[in-house]
Amino acid sequence: MNGKEGPNTMQRYIMDKFFAGMRSVPFQVHYWDGTSTAYGEDVPRFALTFKEKVSIKDFVKNPVMSFGEGYMDGIIEIDGKIEDVIQLATGNREQLWSRAMPLLSRLTSKSKQKDDVQHHYDISNEFYSLWLDETMSYSCAYFRTPEDTLEQAQLQKIDHVLKKLQLKPGETLLDIGSGWGWLIIRAAKQYGVQAKGITLSEEQYKKTLERIAEQGLQNQVKVELIDYRDLAARGEQFDKIASVGMFEHVGQAHYPTFMHALQTLMRDKGLMLLHTITHAKEEPTDPWIQKYIFPGGYIPSLREIVSLLPDYDFNTLDIENLRLHYAMTLEHWAARYDNSLEEVRKMFDERFIRMWDLYLQSCAAFFRSGNLNIHQVLFSKGFNNELSLTREHIYD
């Protein structure tokens, strides 16, 4: 039966009108009542199946959240490439993301920010180890060729960051949001620096301590469970600072506080490498991501970051976009996650499993489609005339 012959319920009618207003990608919807409708003029590139009715009130009010939760609950299935679903979504942003959603994130307490970080990163080290590479790097890798292994690309990313910082033996390095610690460990071993990492994740902190001990680097590498603001208040300063995949957790309202902390933590002429996901322009956080994946998070635009720097005596030196590298990284993660489902099911229920599957696959599609970017921004505190004149040191 074709749904165009007439909707048999008000809910069916409302959803038909909603989908009929979406453009950019042809698709098909199989409804719970056995009817199907194709939307768009060309051959459908994917199909959505609604096994049951969803709350029409929730669907109309917040279709992104309704879709995400419907997929998690097994009510909605996708037949086709999720990249096509994301392309449809990004081509219809005004219809899917409510204009009423606040753009500016609210000021939150340190304890709330710590809770938000631990919500995501303290799931368990065992869970992440199933699908991350051996370094346990949970950020965009750096692929020299598409054939690079994930571990190879992650080590190349760490080296890419460290080379940009132009480290010298005896210097001090701080990693804000140090994850499972491989960047500070590699910096100490490769460059002979004194390295410190800080994190708000209990699980990451414990694992990093273990790794430092295993490498015998207790006198050269330190890790602390501490907020960046509290570290800045202690008066410690560093020659070089890195922050990889942490800035998305700061929150737009806290950007001045973060920049002031960097200004305090960095020595004059010091270098900072900020590695963060970015939007092309300022926009609200995806509500499903906000609720289930990264509570309290906000993805900045590049211009938000760059416009802040001069106010804190920071001089922009280099900006690089690694968008396709993150798409490839996420595709590796999604494949490894899929291959680990038997073990994941021993830890979590089906709703959790589908949530993470949707998260990893959709993020890969967002980077492929160009809706998300990832930038590395290198800047100095004041002017430094002693740096390399070219970028050759990065690729040597």
Side-chain angles (χ1 to χ4, degrees):
M1 174 187 265
N2 191 303
K4 294 181 179 179
E5 295 176 2
N8 54 11
T9 65
M10 179 59 70
Q11 181 168 358
R12 171 73 169 77
Y13 174 78
I14 292 172
M15 294 186 71
D16 181 69
K17 289 296 184 184
F18 177 87
F19 286 126
M22 301 185 74
R23 301 290 184 265
S24 76
V25 175
F27 63 103
Q28 188 170 29
V29 177
H30 303 299
Y31 291 96
W32 58 88
D33 61 2
T35 63
S36 297
T37 301
Y39 300 94
E41 298 179 357
D42 296 324
V43 176
R45 284 163 50 180
F46 68 88
L48 299 178
T49 298
F50 287 79
K51 296 180 177 181
E52 305 173 17
K53 292 181 182 180
V54 297
S55 166
I56 196 63
K57 179 182 177 181
D58 293 342
F59 185 83
V60 172
K61 180 181 178 182
N62 197 334
V64 172
M65 183 71 76
S66 182
F67 176 84
E69 291 181 336
Y71 183 85
M72 289 166 60
D73 293 332
I75 296 172
I76 300 173
E77 295 290 354
I78 301 169
D79 182 13
K81 292 182 179 179
I82 200 165
E83 189 171 342
D84 290 331
V85 181
I86 298 304
Q87 187 177 340
L88 177 71
T90 55
N92 296 270
R93 293 194 66 82
E94 291 298 318
Q95 187 173 347
L96 294 174
W97 278 267
S98 169
R99 296 180 183 179
M101 290 174 59
L103 176 61
L104 184 69
S105 63
R106 294 170 294 177
L107 284 168
T108 55
S109 66
K110 291 178 186 175
S111 60
K112 175 63 166 62
Q113 289 196 307
K114 183 175 181 179
D115 290 343
D116 289 342
V117 167
Q118 292 181 347
H119 169 88
H120 188 85
Y121 295 98
D122 283 356
I123 294 172
S124 81
N125 288 337
E126 290 75 17
F127 169 70
Y128 283 106
S129 67
L130 290 175
W131 50 274
L132 294 180
D133 70 297
E134 288 77 0
T135 71
M136 293 283 283
S137 295
Y138 188 32
S139 55
C140 175
Y142 184 74
F143 292 84
R144 294 189 181 278
T145 73
E147 291 72 38
D148 289 347
T149 66
L150 180 60
E151 181 181 15
Q152 183 180 2
Q154 288 291 9
L155 288 171
Q156 288 166 179
K157 181 274 300 298
I158 293 172
D159 290 341
H160 199 57
V161 169
L162 299 179
K163 286 181 179 180
K164 285 185 176 183
L165 287 171
Q166 301 185 42
L167 295 171
K168 298 179 178 62
E171 287 187 330
T172 52
L173 169 69
L174 172 67
D175 186 4
I176 301 176
S178 53
W180 284 275
W182 209 248
L183 186 146
I184 52 176
I185 288 172
R186 193 164 178 86
K189 295 176 70 173
Q190 298 273 27
Y191 293 91
V193 299
Q194 292 289 322
K196 170 178 277 190
I198 62 172
T199 179
L200 293 178
S201 165
E202 297 272 4
E203 290 285 298
Q204 291 179 341
Y205 171 70
K206 290 186 290 186
K207 184 63 176 179
T208 303
L209 282 177
E210 291 176 11
R211 289 177 141 188
I212 292 170
E214 289 169 359
Q215 298 289 325
L217 293 170
Q218 295 93 326
N219 294 328
Q220 197 176 348
V221 181
K222 307 294 181 185
V223 63
E224 229 179 310
L225 192 67
I226 189 173
D227 188 281
Y228 65 89
R229 289 161 287 195
D230 294 328
L231 183 66
R234 289 203 318 222
E236 290 187 50
Q237 286 197 312
F238 299 84
D239 298 304
K240 308 290 170 64
I241 302 178
S243 184
V244 180
M246 175 271 181
F247 193 62
E248 300 91 332
H249 298 286
V250 169
Q252 189 186 43
H254 290 279
Y255 286 175
T257 302
F258 182 80
M259 290 297 171
H260 179 70
L262 287 183
Q263 188 181 43
T264 302
L265 288 163
M266 200 184 312
R267 291 198 175 102
D268 290 338
K269 299 184 180 182
L271 295 185
M272 165 75 184
L273 190 287
L274 182 65
H275 171 122
T276 181
I277 300 171
T278 60
H279 278 303
K281 58 183 181 180
E282 302 77 39
E283 57 185 75
T285 303
D286 181 298
W288 183 79
I289 291 286
Q290 178 80 247
K291 180 177 180 179
Y292 289 101
I293 307 298
F294 290 117
Y298 171 79
I299 296 174
S301 67
L302 178 61
R303 65 187 176 190
E304 280 184 282
I305 299 169
V306 175
S307 67
L308 281 167
L309 300 183
D311 294 338
Y312 299 89
D313 194 28
F314 293 144
N315 179 38
T316 306
L317 301 173
D318 187 84
I319 299 175
E320 183 177 12
N321 189 337
L322 300 177
R323 177 179 63 84
L324 283 178
H325 293 264
Y326 214 169
M328 295 167 67
T329 303
L330 282 153
E331 287 160 358
H332 274 276
W333 288 344
R336 291 164 71 99
Y337 178 79
D338 187 59
N339 290 333
S340 302
L341 288 182
E342 185 176 337
E343 291 301 314
V344 177
R345 283 194 172 92
K346 296 176 183 177
M347 303 177 183
F348 304 102
D349 62 20
E350 198 65 25
R351 195 169 193 261
F352 177 95
I353 290 169
R354 291 175 66 88
M355 177 181 73
W356 272 82
D357 176 59
L358 180 62
Y359 158 61
L360 292 172
Q361 290 198 55
S362 62
C363 283
F366 273 122
F367 281 102
R368 281 282 179 194
S369 69
N371 184 255
L372 287 177
N373 291 292
I374 187 152
H375 281 96
Q376 290 188 345
V377 183
L378 181 70
F379 52 91
S380 62
K381 182 178 177 179
F383 291 97
N384 187 334
N385 295 330
E386 301 170 5
L387 301 174
S388 176
L389 291 175
T390 71
R391 295 180 177 178
E392 291 178 11
H393 63 284
I394 301 175
Y395 305 105
D396 184 6

